[in-house]
Amino acid sequence: MISIQNLHKSYVTGNNSLHVLKGLNLEIEEGEFVSIMGSSGSGKSTLLNILGVLDDYDQGNYYLNGKKIWGLNETQAAITRNAMIGFIFQSFNLISFKNAMENVALPLYYQKVNRKKRNLIALEYLDRLGIRDWAHHLPSELSGGQKQRVAIARALISHPKIILADEPTGALDSQTSLEVMEILKEVNDQGITVIIVTHEHDIAALTKKIIRLRDGIIGEVITNGDLQKYRDKVKHE
Ligand code: ADP
Ligand code: MG
């Protein structure tokens, strides 16, 4: 599903260049539930933005579902994203003057689905996420957990093959974080590939594979027996 070889990415500002990704290799299969960990500034968001076709890379290969992602213009990138990817962010990224239903329906607006139909579908998704009663509330009237459910519903409404989540529990208390992770697990159980960036060990421990970014490459991949040891260790902290 995701195949990356020798990926390089630098940010250039003025005369300075910051080499963030330095020849990274990564393979993620369809249906995986993966977390990407690494210290602040290690390039987690940079990598996720490249995976999500929100940003370019400088060198290397990125294949998404067998298609080489390189040199796309904004329209082509948007088509790829709309067909494949749902995004979830730490800060929810909801539109403040639209209610929960309208926020969830937004991707269908861009697909030119008429208002009545897209709102009905949005209500179904809100129902699935247990917040149908909040459909007509603005984001400012919702708790953090409710806002993230709205964001997840919005991500799911266009039937993505991959969910990319950048610190999805970063703004939530620990109980709500667990609820959001339970939802993401259910999403993954339906066959959708889920990739989460986090710096919280207990969140990473709930995924099925942990990838550590270090010095611009993948430093470590924790899975299977090692993952069980990791979970046991997290539990006793
Ligand atoms: P993480 O998500 O792991 O905290 P990021 O991928 O956001 O790290 O950032 C990696 C490094 O690149 C950081 O040093 C950050 O300051 C820098 N960086 C990120 N985005 C930009 C940008 N648009 N322009 C310049 N530097 C950036
Ligand atoms: Mg980040």
Side-chain angles (χ1 to χ4, degrees):
M1 163 137 289
I2 284 172
S3 177
I4 285 180
Q5 296 88 34
N6 192 33
L7 188 79
H8 287 263
K9 172 74 179 179
S10 297
Y11 291 111
V12 179
T13 36
N15 290 326
N16 296 318
S17 175
L18 182 67
H19 197 178
V20 178
L21 303 180
K22 304 177 182 171
L24 178 144
N25 298 299
L26 177 64
E27 304 286 330
I28 296 176
E29 304 293 334
E30 185 166 4
E32 285 203 78
F33 188 19
V34 179
S35 50
I36 298 174
M37 295 198 81
S39 54
S40 177
S42 60
K44 303 182 296 297
S45 296
T46 299
L47 175 60
L48 207 72
N49 290 344
I50 293 171
L51 293 179
V53 201
L54 288 167
D55 203 358
D56 306 328
Y57 52 98
D58 303 321
Q59 195 188 316
N61 293 314
Y62 171 25
Y63 290 92
L64 175 60
N65 237 10
K67 182 182 177 222
K68 180 151 185 176
I69 304 298
W70 178 254
L72 303 184
N73 64 34
E74 190 39 52
T75 309
Q76 294 166 324
I79 289 170
T80 305
R81 286 195 297 269
N82 295 342
M84 293 286 296
I85 300 165
F87 293 95
I88 301 168
F89 300 95
Q90 174 173 358
S91 51
F92 320 118
N93 289 16
L94 301 177
I95 296 177
S96 61
F97 55 86
K98 292 196 178 292
N99 69 32
M101 176 185 71
E102 292 161 341
N103 267 283
V104 173
L106 200 62
L108 300 183
Y109 166 81
Y110 290 114
Q111 292 172 26
K112 307 214 177 356
V113 177
N114 74 52
R115 183 196 305 261
K116 193 170 169 207
K117 190 167 174 199
R118 67 178 188 257
N119 284 347
L120 261 178
I121 299 171
L123 286 174
E124 274 170 38
Y125 276 85
L126 288 172
D127 195 35
R128 273 169 57 179
L129 286 157
I131 47 169
R132 190 185 174 120
D133 290 349
W134 296 86
H136 298 284
H137 288 257
L138 294 174
S140 59
E141 298 165 336
L142 304 177
S143 69
Q146 288 168 332
K147 280 188 260 203
Q148 200 57 298
R149 284 166 195 257
V150 172
I152 293 170
R154 181 185 55 187
L156 291 174
I157 202 165
S158 42
H159 302 289
K161 294 189 166 54
I162 307 174
I163 292 284
L164 299 177
D166 197 347
E167 310 259 8
T169 62
L172 305 175
D173 62 62
S174 51
Q175 177 56 36
T176 311
S177 295
L178 291 181
E179 289 168 17
V180 164
M181 287 303 290
E182 184 55 37
I183 294 168
L184 292 174
K185 181 182 174 297
E186 286 164 17
V187 166
N188 175 249
D189 285 341
Q190 291 158 27
I192 299 176
T193 308
V194 177
I195 304 174
I196 299 174
V197 162
T198 183
H199 60 261
E200 296 168 272
H201 293 282
D202 51 342
I203 295 298
L206 296 170
T207 66
K208 293 181 185 158
K209 185 195 262 185
I210 302 174
I211 293 170
R212 268 189 202 280
L213 257 185
R214 187 175 293 147
D215 301 325
I217 57 170
I218 304 300
E220 191 184 6
V221 177
I222 305 171
T223 176
N224 298 328
D226 290 339
L227 181 57
Q228 198 47 55
K229 280 183 216 151
Y230 185 96
R231 286 175 179 148
D232 292 340
K233 197 172 138 225
V234 166
K235 212 182 296 171
H236 291 108
E237 263 171 10

